[in-house]
Amino acid sequence: MSNPSPIQSDALAKLRVRIDSLDAQLLSLLNERARVAEEVGELKRQEGTPFFRPDRVAQVIDKVQQANPGPLQNPHVAAIWREIMSACLALEVPQRVAVLGPQGTFCEQAAIEFFGSAANLIYCSSFDEVFHATAAGTAQFGVVGMENTTEGVVARSFDLFLHSPVHTVGEVSMLVRHNLLRQVNALEGVEVVLAHPQALMQCQGWLTAHLPHAERRAVSSNAEGARLAATQPTWAALASDRAAAQFGLHVVAHAIQDEAYNRTRFAIICLPQTLAMPAASGRDCTSIVVSVPNKPGSVHDMLTPLKKHKVSMTRFESRPAKSGKWEYYFYIDLQGHPSEPNVAAALSELQAYCAFYKMLGAYPLGQDV
C-alpha cells in the first residue's frame, strides 16, 4: 500500500492544526460558560429556586437548533447541548436520579437522554424502590417505565402512582431494541433466557421460533438478566448493547423484538417541592387517576365534560381497586395543560362525578429518541 503524497500529508496536517486551534477555543468557551453557570447556581441558591429546569433545557436546545446553519444535524446538536448543560448543572448541584438498575438498563439510558451523563444515577432493584427513593428524598428525581407500544402499560408503575406523593414532570419515549446476550457467541446450548417480564413478552415470537425449549425466566431488569448471564455459559439475556458492554457478553442476535418499531415511554417523577408542575409549552399532556361510584352510566358521565370542552383523551387505562367490590381506578391522559381554560373547565366538571381524583402531573410531551 503506497504512502500518501507529501502534498496530501501537508494539507491534512494543516487541517489538524486548525482543528486543534478550534478545540482550544471551544474548551475556553465551555469553561467560560461553566463559570457563568456557577454564578447562576449561586443566585438560585440564594433565591431558593430549582436548579434543574427541564423547560429551560428544552428552550435552550430549541433556540440553538433553530439557529443551527449545519452541517451538524439538529439531533446531534441537541445531544451535544444537553451534555454541556448537564456538565454545567453538575457544577451548580449534582442531580440525584433514581433508575432501575443495575447499569445497562433502558431506564438508565432514558435518564441520560433526559438529564445528561453528568447526573448522579442511583440504581434501584425495582420501580417500587425508584418511587420510594424519590419520595423519601434520597433522589431528587426518578425515572420509571410507563408503557410499551407492543405490550401496553407497565402495571406496577401505574399502581405505585396511586398512593405516592410524587408527580410527573417529563417523559422520554425511546426506541427499545432487545438483543440476545451470552458468554458464548452461539445460539446452541441456551437453556435459560433471562429478562424483565416485559422484554420476554416483547420477544416471545422470536424466542418461540429460535429457542423453543429454553426456559424464560423473569428477573427485575434486563441488565440484571445480563449480569446473571455473565455467570453461566448456558444462560442468555435479553438486553441492550450497553448491557453487553457492561458485562462483557457477546451479542448473539441483534434486535429480536417482535415489533420493529418497539418504543417504551418513561416518566420523569419528583416531589412537587423539588419541581412544581411545568408551565404550559403548547404541546403538553395532563395525567390523572380517578374512580367513580360503581353504578350504571358513571363512566359515561365522567367522560362527558371532556367532550363538552373539546379535550382529547389520549389514554384510558383501568386498574382494579383491589377492594373486593369490582371497583376500578381509571388512568387518563389528556391533551393539553390545566392552565388552558378548556382543560381547566373539563377537569373541574369531571371531579364532580369522581369518588376519587388525583392529578399525576402535567408536562411537555417528550421527543422520540
Side-chain angles (χ1 to χ4, degrees):
M1 186 175 184
S2 61
N3 292 325
S5 70
I7 295 176
Q8 289 176 317
S9 295
D10 288 345
L12 186 59
K14 289 178 181 178
L15 290 173
R16 286 174 173 165
V17 169
R18 284 180 60 192
I19 286 177
D20 289 345
S21 176
L22 290 168
D23 284 345
Q25 293 176 53
L26 284 171
L27 182 60
S28 176
L29 289 170
L30 287 171
N31 277 303
E32 185 177 344
R33 188 192 195 283
R35 283 189 285 272
V36 175
E38 287 182 308
E39 293 180 29
V40 169
E42 185 56 37
L43 284 175
K44 287 181 176 179
R45 193 172 285 107
Q46 293 172 12
E47 296 173 358
T49 54
F51 286 92
F52 179 65
R53 288 270 310 278
D55 57 331
R56 171 63 178 162
V57 174
Q59 288 170 7
V60 170
I61 290 175
D62 183 61
K63 185 176 181 180
V64 171
Q65 286 181 318
Q66 289 186 28
N68 176 32
L72 283 177
Q73 298 178 21
N74 270 346
H76 300 153
V77 169
I80 292 167
W81 250 260
R82 191 175 301 280
E83 286 302 315
I84 291 171
M85 298 184 77
S86 176
C88 289
L89 181 63
L91 294 174
E92 298 175 32
V93 58
Q95 298 301 293
R96 303 185 308 276
V97 183
V99 299
L100 184 65
Q103 291 180 325
T105 62
F106 290 109
C107 189
E108 175 196 57
Q109 188 175 338
I112 292 170
E113 291 287 349
F114 194 85
F115 294 96
S117 58
N120 180 13
L121 301 185
I122 299 170
Y123 294 95
C124 301
S125 61
S126 64
F127 285 145
D128 295 60
E129 191 177 329
V130 172
F131 270 84
H132 178 75
T134 308
T138 306
Q140 294 155 303
F141 297 90
V143 181
V144 292
M146 294 299 294
E147 179 190 25
N148 177 263
T149 53
T150 304
E151 292 300 324
V153 299
V154 181
R156 186 57 184 161
S157 292
F158 276 72
D159 290 345
L160 289 164
F161 263 115
L162 194 60
H163 301 294
S164 175
V166 303
H167 67 160
T168 301
V169 293
E171 67 171 13
V172 176
S173 175
M174 194 166 66
L175 189 64
V176 170
R177 294 186 176 93
H178 297 301
N179 307 302
L180 189 77
L181 311 183
R182 192 183 175 196
Q183 278 189 21
V184 182
N185 194 14
L187 274 178
E188 294 75 20
V190 174
E191 296 177 1
V192 177
V193 177
L194 306 107
H196 188 275
Q198 283 264 339
L200 290 172
M201 290 188 289
Q202 291 163 25
C203 301
Q204 58 184 329
W206 190 95
L207 292 173
T208 299
H210 296 88
L211 295 171
H213 303 299
E215 176 193 345
R216 301 175 194 180
R217 188 176 301 174
V219 292
S220 59
S221 72
N222 293 339
E224 174 63 10
R227 186 190 71 79
L228 293 170
T231 69
Q232 295 287 343
T234 59
W235 291 1
L238 303 177
S240 65
D241 291 328
R242 292 172 65 89
Q246 178 70 31
F247 297 104
L249 297 170
H250 292 283
V251 179
V252 179
H254 290 269
I256 64 172
Q257 65 278 356
D258 296 333
E259 297 293 332
Y261 190 77
N262 182 44
R263 304 196 74 90
T264 296
R265 187 170 67 97
F266 295 88
I268 313 300
I269 61 174
C270 70
L271 290 169
Q273 56 264 40
T274 300
L275 186 66
M277 179 187 295
S281 69
R283 202 171 157 274
D284 302 288
C285 175
T286 296
S287 297
I288 60 174
V289 57
V290 303
S291 68
V292 293
N294 189 7
K295 61 181 183 180
S298 58
V299 174
H300 174 271
D301 292 341
M302 175 187 71
L303 298 179
T304 299
L306 302 180
K307 180 179 180 180
K308 175 183 174 182
H309 294 284
K310 296 181 171 57
V311 176
S312 295
M313 183 170 59
T314 57
R315 178 185 326 285
F316 186 84
E317 301 283 347
S318 63
R319 294 286 299 152
K322 301 178 183 178
S323 63
K325 300 178 182 178
W326 299 104
E327 295 173 332
Y328 290 84
Y329 289 108
F330 300 98
Y331 294 80
I332 304 171
D333 282 357
L334 306 174
Q335 193 174 66
H337 191 275
S339 64
E340 297 170 10
N342 66 318
V343 177
L347 291 176
S348 178
E349 291 184 21
L350 182 151
Q351 288 184 61
Y353 295 102
C354 296
F356 174 88
Y357 174 93
K358 183 180 181 182
M359 172 71 69
L360 298 183
Y363 47 90
L365 292 171
Q367 297 295 323
D368 291 348
V369 296

